[in-house]
Amino acid sequence: SQKIEQNSEALNIQEGKTATLTCNYTNYSPAYLQWYRQDPGRGPVFLLLIRENEKEKRKERLKVTFDTTLKQSLFHITASQPADSATYLCALDQGSSNTGKLIFGQGTTLQVKP
Amino acid sequence: DTGVSQDPRHKITKRGQNVTFRCDPISEHNRLYWYRQTLGQGPEFLTYFQNEAQLEKSRLLSDRFSAERPKGSFSTLEIQRTEQGDSAMYLCASSLDGGPEQYFGPGTRLTVT
């Protein structure tokens, strides 16, 4: 079955630097991969989706890459701010198409220090 | 529309009691999902609906769990004879049919004592 691994250790960076988070999956390459942000005590918030035929996707200070050969996605936040501190989750569909049954990684907690 | 809402936000119950949670999705969304999340883990899929039809249930969803979406709008998740292992955050999400991105509610935190 498909499994997702994210860095379980918290990532601490200085304000203004670029944060890079990693998501690795183990089985078949999904049609797309999603990234969500989750703040303590809140539900996840959708950030970005990248499809298998896309190498890179950008949204404001966020950039996601998708390497189906490495079975890996990287999530970058440039010019990081303390407000970016949160847990970031990657997710993909458990089925081979859009079933909506998402499997999530355990999340990586990002702490941006002023 | 203010997004997905869940009620209650917090629930403390004694082992063996039954609890019911409610989720109101974004009004035009026809898909509704339930997830469970424990501390330090990502959400785990439990079940989902397309309109009023429950299409799939995870193996995580034991016979003590039941979910309904009677009119294709709000949904309820009931846990019977709660156990301490049921303590978790229960998240509801909704999406438009064909849209992979899901919109989550704030969750219901269940504590079983």
Side-chain angles (χ1 to χ4, degrees):
Chain A
S1 61
Q2 187 73 279
K3 291 184 180 179
I4 295 180
E5 292 182 357
Q6 294 185 253
N7 290 344
S8 57
E9 292 185 9
L11 179 62
N12 296 297
I13 65 168
Q14 206 67 34
E15 181 177 9
K17 300 294 185 183
T18 296
T20 299
L21 285 67
T22 304
C23 174
N24 295 293
Y25 57 93
T26 59
N27 203 344
Y28 57 85
S29 284
Y32 55 82
L33 189 145
Q34 303 183 50
W35 284 89
Y36 288 78
R37 168 182 172 144
Q38 187 172 27
D39 292 285
R42 310 285 293 273
V45 174
F46 172 77
L47 295 175
L48 276 171
L49 177 148
I50 186 165
R51 300 187 184 278
E52 62 178 336
N53 60 350
E54 297 174 318
K55 296 294 185 186
E56 181 180 299
K57 197 79 166 281
R58 291 177 185 261
K59 179 183 177 183
E60 297 173 352
R61 294 184 295 110
L62 308 181
K63 184 179 84 172
V64 173
T65 63
F66 195 6
D67 189 325
T68 56
T69 301
L70 293 178
K71 296 188 178 180
Q72 182 179 82
S73 175
L74 298 179
F75 177 81
H76 306 271
I77 305 175
T78 59
S80 59
Q81 304 167 0
D84 295 326
S85 299
T87 296
Y88 292 86
L89 300 158
C90 73
L92 51 83
D93 201 295
Q94 292 187 39
S96 56
S97 60
N98 180 25
T99 65
K101 298 179 296 178
L102 295 182
I103 180 170
F104 284 85
Q106 74 269 39
T108 298
T109 298
L110 172 66
Q111 186 71 36
V112 181
K113 298 184 178 181
Chain B
D1 191 280
T2 57
V4 179
S5 62
Q6 292 187 246
D7 183 70
R9 295 292 309 277
H10 304 274
K11 179 71 178 178
I12 300 174
T13 191
K14 293 184 177 180
R15 187 176 56 185
Q17 297 295 305
N18 299 343
V19 294
T20 300
F21 310 141
R22 175 179 171 127
C23 170
D24 287 88
I26 294 172
S27 57
E28 63 267 28
H29 285 183
N30 56 355
R31 284 197 180 178
L32 187 148
Y33 309 85
W34 285 99
Y35 293 85
R36 180 171 66 190
Q37 185 176 27
T38 53
L39 197 62
Q41 301 298 316
E44 294 175 295
F45 170 81
L46 293 179
T47 188
Y48 84 107
F49 294 83
Q50 173 116 350
N51 299 311
E52 65 274 11
Q54 186 174 18
L55 296 187
E56 189 158 338
K57 292 171 61 173
S58 164
R59 288 172 294 176
L60 294 174
L61 218 61
S62 75
D63 292 343
R64 297 183 297 106
F65 289 70
S66 62
E68 293 182 344
R69 195 183 183 196
K71 298 182 180 179
S73 56
F74 74 91
S75 175
T76 57
L77 178 68
E78 181 183 16
I79 308 174
Q80 297 182 326
R81 305 181 301 282
T82 53
E83 302 173 355
Q84 287 189 319
D86 297 331
S87 296
M89 174 78 88
Y90 289 84
L91 293 161
C92 173
S94 69
S95 72
L96 276 171
D97 189 24
E101 58 266 31
Q102 296 183 15
Y103 297 85
F104 283 80
T108 294
R109 179 163 297 282
L110 173 66
T111 302
V112 182
T113 61

